[in-house]
Amino acid sequence: MSELPSDPSRRGPGDTPPLQQPPLWRQLQLTAAALASIRAGTSGSVAFEAVEPALRPGVQSLGFQVLRWLGRAEALRRHLAKRTPPPLPDALLCTALALAWNAEHAPYEPFTLVDQAVEAAKRNPATRAQASFINACLRRFLRERDELVATTDSEPVAQWNHPRWWIERLKRDHPRDWQRVLAADNAQAPMTLRVNVLRTTAASYLTELETAGLAATRVGPSGLQLARARPVQQLPGFADGACSVQDAAAQMAAPLLLEGLLPEKAQPLRVLDACAAPGGKTAHLLEMAGTGAIEVTALEVDAARSRRIDDTLARLGLQAKVLVADAARTDQWWDGTPFDAILLDAPCTASGIVRRHPDVRWLRRESDTAQLAAQQATLLAALWPLVRPGGRLLYCTCSVFREEGSQQIDAFLVHNTNARLLPSPGHLLPQSGSNARGVPDNASGDHDGFFYALLEKRPR
């Protein structure tokens, strides 16, 4: 699962060389094609999924690095070319620039990347006519790299590798932390596991990892952060449900919703996971509650994504009522019996998980935030009546924008006087758990950006 391709000149001691490393020019071709697809509006997951499996790991590794430095690459291209080239040649040129602009972090030597990018252009009929142009731009870049990089340092999009509107929004929303958030977005996220406490304990599983030669550290009650990302097939007992891959911030959802509720009723708690795919939080609720303590209904509006919930639960040996339904249209799926607890992990800009999905920043438009905030408000208004008096609703988004977090909840509380905000983490910024509005003793840690608000319905 390493995001960087194997480069013989950069392998560390003990690293196993690849058996058949595809030529770099071919990887650059496919990376440029993925970038062109993303620029046209395709999500990164879909764009990289289109790459043949044998080449996908290397291409995705290169592609992630390109997306993290695309702002810089586009700024350099504007100084190198008077006119923007056609989409695919431009994607190849920007791919090479993103990978080569900083020699210290380049996956290959800059001159090798330039040479192979020109070769990639020559070998593709769709870019062959632009091969001389690409060669001229990149050779000039090698000659004038320091001067060109210094020139682009003054451009915010090049410096921070985010759209200008995104940078300005973060400045408004987090005036003390916006630079740290942007810098964190350009770093590689750690691989964090959630131990299935129905099968084992975090301490025991940590020992299993160490026995298998996999270094890890404890994160939260049942989380473990790996020192190096690994394919899940290498994790002891993964196929049998011993653990799941889940960011440390996402692991906060189940404890926040359930703690203090479980001892109240002899009968199983009725719990709704309103936007459940791919099922990680659904599974965590069931693991944490224990056998027979809760009955979970998991909703997902997309039929294909709902099947991922079934797959997740099957691997972990858990059961829930999985429905393909729009959570906001309660008349089509609700049986009329109130829920003790509702988890609303609402659709959002995903601005808090850019470390893991670096395409998000380039796919989103400024207008998306208001549109998604309206959808979030609709879901809150639809689901709040389904909570029993004394019950809870946990609202969360993987966003760092206040319009999708604190501002959303402030507006909800104004219009719902029977709602009380319980102690909640509030806005969690990438790689930091500190938050002035949240729980004072909330421990700092390495996690994605999230927002949590725990709401209790006042008894009649």
Side-chain angles (χ1 to χ4, degrees), residues 64-392:
F64 273 34
Q65 186 161 349
V66 168
L67 291 164
R68 288 185 176 120
W69 305 113
L70 185 58
R72 176 73 69 169
E74 290 179 343
L76 290 168
R77 189 257 292 138
R78 285 194 294 273
H79 287 276
L80 291 167
K82 294 182 179 179
R83 296 181 180 178
T84 303
L88 191 55
D90 183 54
L92 180 57
L93 177 56
C94 287
T95 291
L97 291 169
L99 295 172
W101 80 274
N102 186 326
E104 182 180 350
H105 296 108
Y108 296 84
E109 296 297 334
F111 73 87
T112 300
L113 287 163
V114 168
D115 176 76
Q116 290 294 288
V118 175
E119 187 70 16
K122 292 177 179 178
R123 287 176 177 260
N124 187 346
T127 56
R128 189 174 296 146
Q130 300 287 330
S132 295
F133 163 77
I134 291 173
N135 181 61
C137 288
L138 292 177
R139 298 297 172 184
R140 180 189 165 196
F141 164 74
L142 288 179
R143 294 192 304 269
E144 305 175 18
R145 181 174 59 189
D146 292 345
E147 179 183 346
L148 288 166
V149 169
T151 299
T152 58
D153 277 341
S154 61
E155 302 177 33
V157 175
Q159 181 183 5
W160 297 110
N161 291 282
H162 286 70
R164 185 178 293 273
W165 70 264
W166 191 301
I167 298 170
E168 294 304 318
R169 182 179 288 271
L170 278 178
K171 285 183 179 180
R172 294 194 305 270
D173 285 358
H174 305 286
R176 292 183 300 178
D177 298 303
W178 67 273
Q179 292 176 310
R180 181 166 57 83
V181 173
L182 292 171
D185 283 352
N186 291 324
Q188 183 174 337
M191 183 174 178
T192 305
L193 309 179
R194 185 191 76 245
V195 175
N196 183 353
V197 294
L198 294 178
R199 302 286 183 90
T200 184
T201 65
S204 296
Y205 194 71
L206 178 59
T207 301
E208 289 189 55
L209 289 174
E210 292 172 346
T211 301
L214 305 178
T217 54
R218 293 286 299 271
V219 180
S222 56
L224 295 170
Q225 182 178 307
L226 295 178
R228 289 182 55 192
R230 302 283 184 169
V232 294
Q233 294 84 356
Q234 294 183 13
L235 302 177
F238 180 86
D240 299 323
C243 69
S244 299
V245 179
Q246 188 179 47
D247 182 75
Q251 291 188 38
M252 298 181 187
L256 278 168
L257 185 61
L258 293 182
E259 283 180 357
L261 275 183
L262 290 174
E264 287 189 8
K265 296 183 66 176
Q267 297 298 317
L269 291 177
R270 280 174 51 86
V271 179
L272 172 68
D273 188 350
C275 303
K281 295 182 183 68
T282 303
H284 195 192
L285 289 166
L286 291 162
E287 291 169 2
M288 181 181 171
T291 305
I294 61 174
E295 296 175 347
V296 178
T297 299
L299 301 184
E300 175 53 47
V301 69
D302 183 86
R305 283 173 54 81
S306 74
R307 288 193 287 272
R308 297 182 62 190
I309 304 173
D310 293 322
D311 293 341
T312 297
L313 297 177
R315 182 181 64 82
L316 295 167
L318 302 169
Q319 291 186 332
K321 182 180 181 181
V322 180
L323 301 176
V324 178
D326 182 347
R329 305 187 68 174
T330 58
D331 60 307
Q332 296 186 357
W333 58 266
W334 185 41
D335 62 7
T337 303
F339 289 96
D340 298 293
I342 294 179
L343 171 60
L344 173 54
D345 186 0
C348 69
T349 57
S351 58
I353 57 173
V354 175
R355 298 190 302 168
R356 301 180 191 280
H357 301 278
D359 57 309
V360 165
R361 72 190 96 176
W362 308 115
L363 288 170
R364 290 297 182 203
R365 299 293 179 263
E366 188 170 9
S367 59
D368 291 345
T369 309
Q371 294 173 0
L372 286 160
Q375 185 178 359
Q376 294 153 12
T378 297
L379 285 164
L380 276 167
L383 295 175
W384 184 243
L386 278 58
V387 180
R388 68 164 173 84
R392 297 175 178 177

